[in-house]
Amino acid sequence: MSFGDPNNPYGQQGQPGQQPGYGQPQGQQPGYGQPQGQPGYGYPQGQQPGYGYPQAPPVQQPYGGYPGGPGGQMEMPGGVKAVRVMLWVISGFQILSGILAFAAMGTIDEAVSDSGASTADTEAFADFGKGIVAFVAVLTLIFAALSIVLALKMKTGGNATRVCAIVYGAFATLGGVISLPLGIVTMALGILIIVFVAKSDGAAWFQRPRY
């Protein structure tokens, strides 16, 4: 029986040692859609994800959910904006308090003159009172200046500004408690400053990267 031309490889049929398919092991050919054993991009050798397989998890937006980082500018949270307004209000109150304190020094002198007591002890007591009032007035104006600086730094300041604002709010709260009932507004604003700056969105704002 003839098996065809022995010099023609396409004419050999049914002979032992039949040639395997192109690039495949003998007697095996891959089915449609089966893995070819080639390493996929980002996957181990011989493994590629198919349809229905879970892909990479969605990228979470950084910086507390606010648009920020490369390609975007983070918006100042509402709590931080409120803190900035509160700092301006407190600075106004403190400037007014400092002016009134300096004016009270003249009132002490008038009170001593009207009393008719011009002894050395009375004058020493009046000087001591004026010294206390002057110290309080200067301290109040210093805190007013600090409040203005913090209000200006709310937009561009970093985590150090946040810490200073929390400390400032604590001192404002303490000062309001000491001066009750007149200091109830300052006490309330100091508490709100601490709460809004210490919140997660406030922390994300002050800890955001700068580009």
Side-chain angles (χ1 to χ4, degrees):
M1 181 180 296
S2 175
F3 294 95
D5 189 356
N7 296 322
N8 186 3
Y10 298 98
Q12 297 179 4
Q13 298 179 358
Q15 291 185 3
Q18 193 171 15
Q19 297 293 328
Y22 178 72
Q24 303 295 330
Q26 183 174 355
Q28 294 183 6
Q29 291 185 354
Y32 181 76
Q34 293 181 353
Q36 303 298 319
Q38 298 294 331
Y41 180 76
Y43 295 91
Q45 185 173 359
Q47 296 183 8
Q48 290 183 352
Y51 292 103
Y53 284 88
Q55 303 298 323
V59 179
Q60 296 182 353
Q61 196 168 15
Y63 319 125
Y66 290 90
Q73 183 177 2
M74 185 175 181
E75 182 181 358
M76 182 185 296
V80 179
K81 293 179 180 179
V83 168
R84 183 169 58 178
V85 174
M86 294 176 194
L87 289 170
W88 284 116
V89 172
I90 291 178
S91 65
F93 278 127
Q94 290 173 334
I95 292 174
L96 181 60
S97 300
I99 294 173
L100 293 176
F102 279 118
M105 295 174 62
T107 304
I108 295 175
D109 289 333
E110 292 178 0
V112 172
S113 299
D114 293 340
S115 66
S118 59
T119 61
D121 293 338
T122 304
E123 292 179 359
F125 181 77
D127 292 339
F128 178 74
K130 288 190 297 183
I132 294 178
V133 172
F135 174 77
V136 173
V138 172
L139 187 63
T140 302
L141 294 178
I142 291 175
F143 271 91
L146 180 59
S147 179
I148 293 173
V149 172
L150 286 175
L152 294 174
K153 294 291 289 183
M154 285 292 109
K155 185 176 181 180
T156 59
N159 194 55
T161 303
R162 173 174 173 263
V163 174
C164 290
I166 293 175
V167 175
Y168 181 87
F171 277 107
T173 303
L174 180 60
V177 171
I178 294 175
S179 58
L180 283 175
L182 298 177
I184 187 171
V185 176
T186 304
M187 181 185 69
L189 293 178
I191 294 174
L192 291 176
I193 288 173
I194 296 173
V195 171
F196 286 139
V197 174
K199 287 175 62 178
S200 59
D201 56 352
W205 168 255
F206 291 107
Q207 296 173 0
R208 71 192 186 282
R210 271 74 171 176
Y211 296 94

